[in-house]
Amino acid sequence: MANFQPFNGTITMISDFMTGLNEESIGCNKLMSVDNGYGAIVNFVVTPDTYFIDQVMVAIGDKVTGFYDADAPAPLIFPPQFRAIVMTKNIPYQNVKVDYFNSQLESSDGKLRLNIAPSTSIVLKNGQAFTANPTNRNLIVVYGPTTMSIPAQTTPYKIIVMC
């Protein structure tokens, strides 16, 4: 089970990122600097495996949230550099949570419980339908309003199963 952590901010730089000596990898990986506006900066390494919600294109000045595995090894440099697992462009009235959801579809931090409706789209990262039970898995959840309860409850618009 990964320890997914979000970082919100504005993209201040996008550049190519070399991961090896292979010329075929040039342009395939990006380094995105994200500034939260309060003095914290994170550099995200964006690879072809990074999942972008709705395959949206991002640019300098966009407000985004990047999710990374806080337990994964990272170089001890400043600003911190993490491999982005999921990126989303911040859109009003749309929330995204990346986490492990248990058998009651409650997130590992106990802050969100999912109520799946017939209209909830449940798919794989490649866009194909997911036909099994989404419980006890790492999920990318796209949702709107929540209840004021603890944990907050929501009926998600879309669930992407991270197999």
Side-chain angles (χ1 to χ4, degrees), residues 75-151:
L76 294 174
I77 58 175
F78 183 82
Q81 181 174 297
F82 303 114
R83 185 176 74 82
I85 297 169
V86 176
M87 294 288 291
T88 181
K89 187 174 180 178
N90 296 353
I91 299 171
Y93 310 109
Q94 176 178 292
N95 303 299
V96 175
K97 184 163 184 80
V98 180
D99 206 345
Y100 176 84
F101 286 82
N102 66 18
S103 59
Q104 279 77 46
L105 288 173
E106 187 174 309
S107 62
S108 66
D109 61 6
K111 293 183 178 179
L112 186 66
R113 179 172 290 157
L114 307 179
N115 299 316
I116 297 176
S119 61
T120 302
S121 171
I122 304 175
V123 297
L124 296 168
K125 285 173 65 174
N126 64 9
Q128 299 305 302
F130 181 77
T131 55
N133 190 339
T135 60
N136 298 313
R137 297 178 185 270
N138 290 324
L139 305 175
I140 303 167
V141 180
V142 181
Y143 63 99
T146 63
T147 63
M148 298 292 283
S149 62
I150 299 176

